[in-house]
Amino acid sequence: MIFEIMKKQYIFLTLILVSSFCFAEGSLNQKKFVSGNIQDKTQCVRSASGEEAVLLSKLALDFAISSKEVLGNDRDLDALAVSGILSIPQDYLNSSQETETKAIYDRFYKIYNLFSDTNVKIAVLNRLTVFKTQDTRFPELLNSYLKRAVVSTEKDSLSKAVISTLGYIGNKDSFVILYLLYGDSVWAQYKEELKKSVTQLLEKSIPQAISIIQTGNAAECQNIFDLTVKNEKFPKKVYAEISENVLSRTIILYENSLKEEGLEQLQYNAFSVLAKLEWTRSAKIAMKYFSIAKKQYERGELSEAQYTEVIKKLPVIDPVDSVGVYCSCINEFNQTAEKAISDSSVSLPSDKVILAFISALGAIGDKNAFDTLLAITYYSYPENVITQARDALASLKW
């Protein structure tokens, strides 16, 4: 029975060869492929080039598929399948008609599912990555693998290859799956591969990333933020959207007393990105952050250096609303300075902080700051503060 099946396969392959070359006699390599054993076929595929490489590669894949049921787990058949997969030239697939491309991917899909050998599966994954396939079957297939995978029983090399391949051909579901595994300690041995693939998919998975941020804790926000800002290839809009959502979410967490280690620093870093990008669309959330930063500074949760940086950077995002808020802050300082005249126990605000406010108002140049800046010159502030206030007054636009 087996011999009958093999005989039919040889006849089938011979007919394909004949029809493919318009009934012309095949080359010695092609003849050897048809008449030889599986090892001979593998050698023929490996030694072929040009159009012959395409022909023999397809024949090898077809032979592997049709023979799998008969031969089962056979090393020689596995080797033939690997050769057929890796010998498909990239330029051939790139220039082929859609029907031919689909036919190749149909073969890949069948082989990936039929063969259990890791080398065969990794060979398929390699070609999918190189060819940057748009065939939606493969992301779905690999997503399913990861969702049901048990780390302790999976082959390390295959899992790494699946993770890496999804970084190139994955979809929005792939991003979520990979991200969840990235944060799972059970998958720690694959952390670098997961990080790379999540980062590669992030730009085309912004809605999914934002969804994770909007429902996540500080650690999850930190993960998405780090994956974004540490990649220099993303467009400005990606940095801005992620940073804005991180800032918004962490403010909610802070206001609801859901504090975690590093929350204040994460807020500060997200705000700094928005300021660097001059992202005026985030004006409302940036202004809300300023009121939070003021409280954090007063509570000792934010350093003086960081607070003064916030003061300097806020006008870049929201220059209009900054004026009124900054004037209110300086008026509070002036009230304190007035009390200090009659009460020596009252301490004047930090020079660095008030200088930051004055400098910012001067840079904005809004004439509505005139009365506030002028008032500074009447109180017992250090001379450098008064001088800065006068310089700021001179910078106002009328």
Side-chain angles (χ1 to χ4, degrees):
M1 180 64 180
I2 292 177
F3 291 110
E4 285 298 320
I5 294 175
M6 298 301 291
K7 182 179 179 181
K8 291 179 180 178
Q9 290 172 342
Y10 284 132
I11 294 173
F12 171 70
L13 292 174
T14 303
L15 290 173
I16 292 178
L17 278 171
V18 171
S19 61
S20 297
F21 284 89
C22 301
F23 303 98
E25 185 174 348
S27 68
L28 291 176
N29 204 33
Q30 293 163 19
K31 291 178 180 180
K32 184 179 179 181
F33 181 93
V34 173
S35 63
N37 58 30
I38 296 179
Q39 292 180 344
D40 291 334
K41 295 181 192 302
T42 301
Q43 184 58 44
C44 290
V45 173
R46 290 177 178 173
S47 62
S49 60
E51 292 183 1
E52 184 177 72
V54 175
L55 173 64
L56 294 187
S57 292
K58 290 190 288 186
L59 290 177
L61 295 178
D62 290 336
F63 183 88
I65 291 169
S66 63
S67 303
K68 179 62 176 172
E69 183 177 353
V70 175
L71 298 179
N73 294 327
D74 182 273
R75 288 187 177 181
D76 289 338
L77 190 64
D78 292 341
L80 177 62
V82 170
S83 296
I85 294 163
L86 297 181
S87 296
I88 298 289
Q90 183 177 0
D91 57 352
Y92 165 74
L93 203 63
N94 291 342
S95 60
S96 295
Q97 297 285 338
E98 184 178 347
T99 53
E100 176 61 14
T101 300
K102 184 180 183 304
I104 294 294
Y105 286 138
D106 285 344
R107 293 178 172 96
F108 285 175
Y109 191 79
K110 289 177 182 177
I111 284 179
Y112 191 90
N113 286 295
L114 282 173
F115 285 73
S116 58
D117 182 71
T118 299
N119 292 328
V120 175
K121 289 183 178 293
I122 290 177
V124 172
L125 297 177
N126 173 274
R127 294 294 90 183
L128 297 178
T129 299
V130 171
F131 297 153
K132 296 179 181 178
T133 179
Q134 299 296 312
D135 193 315
T136 58
R137 290 176 295 176
F138 292 102
E140 293 172 1
L141 180 66
L142 303 184
N143 289 346
S144 297
Y145 167 81
L146 288 180
K147 284 194 287 187
R148 66 174 185 270
V150 179
V151 176
S152 59
T153 61
E154 300 300 335
K155 294 182 179 179
D156 183 65
S157 56
L158 179 58
S159 294
K160 286 184 177 180
V162 169
I163 291 168
S164 297
T165 300
L166 280 175
Y168 291 93
I169 70 168
N171 54 27
K172 60 182 181 181
D173 294 329
S174 307
F175 173 82
V176 175
I177 293 167
L178 292 169
Y179 173 77
L180 292 175
L181 297 183
Y182 175 66
D184 189 341
S185 59
V186 175
W187 287 78
Q189 69 192 83
Y190 303 102
K191 197 169 186 66
E192 287 306 310
E193 289 82 9
L194 288 165
K195 179 180 179 180
K196 181 179 179 181
S197 291
V198 170
T199 304
Q200 287 173 311
L201 292 175
L202 180 57
E203 185 177 348
K204 62 179 182 181
S205 306
I206 295 301
Q208 288 70 41
I210 290 176
S211 179
I212 292 171
I213 292 169
Q214 291 175 340
T215 58
N217 55 28
E220 289 170 330
C221 291
Q222 183 74 66
N223 281 339
I224 297 292
F225 182 76
D226 287 344
L227 290 170
T228 304
V229 299
K230 291 180 180 180
N231 190 310
E232 298 178 354
K233 298 180 180 180
F234 286 151
K236 174 181 176 180
K237 185 179 180 182
V238 173
Y239 296 122
E241 289 185 355
I242 294 298
S243 298
E244 183 175 358
N245 279 276
V246 166
L247 183 57
S248 177
R249 178 60 180 169
T250 54
I251 286 176
I252 292 173
L253 294 174
Y254 187 87
E255 291 179 334
N256 286 278
S257 300
L258 299 174
K259 296 182 182 180
E260 296 179 50
E261 184 178 354
L263 180 63
E264 292 84 0
Q265 185 64 46
L266 176 57
Q267 289 176 327
Y268 175 78
N269 291 340
F271 169 81
S272 297
V273 171
L274 294 172
K276 182 179 180 180
L277 297 174
E278 299 182 4
W279 198 251
T280 56
R281 297 181 190 178
S282 63
K284 289 185 178 179
I285 192 66
M287 186 58 67
K288 192 170 186 178
Y289 170 64
F290 173 76
S291 65
I292 296 280
K294 184 173 181 290
K295 294 175 183 177
Q296 290 174 343
Y297 168 67
E298 293 168 350
R299 295 170 182 170
E301 298 169 345
L302 198 67
S303 70
E304 181 177 79
Q306 290 175 318
Y307 184 47
T308 55
E309 282 300 304
V310 172
I311 295 168
K312 293 176 183 177
K313 293 173 179 177
L314 181 62
V316 174
I317 302 174
D318 190 356
V320 177
D321 295 328
S322 296
V323 175
V325 173
Y326 283 11
C327 286
S328 295
C329 291
I330 292 178
N331 288 336
E332 290 178 13
F333 293 157
N334 289 344
Q335 291 173 8
T336 301
E338 187 172 2
K339 292 178 182 177
I341 296 174
S342 57
D343 187 349
S344 59
S345 64
V346 176
S347 300
L348 290 173
S350 163
D351 289 359
K352 291 181 179 179
V353 171
I354 194 169
L355 283 170
F357 279 117
I358 294 170
S359 177
L361 287 174
I364 296 170
D366 192 312
K367 63 182 180 180
N368 290 315
F370 177 81
D371 291 338
T372 299
L373 292 171
L374 181 62
I376 291 173
T377 64
Y378 297 127
Y379 292 103
S380 54
Y381 288 109
E383 187 59 34
N384 63 328
V385 173
I386 295 174
T387 299
Q388 185 70 37
R390 287 172 176 159
D391 290 342
L393 282 167
S395 302
L396 301 181
K397 301 178 180 67
W398 296 88

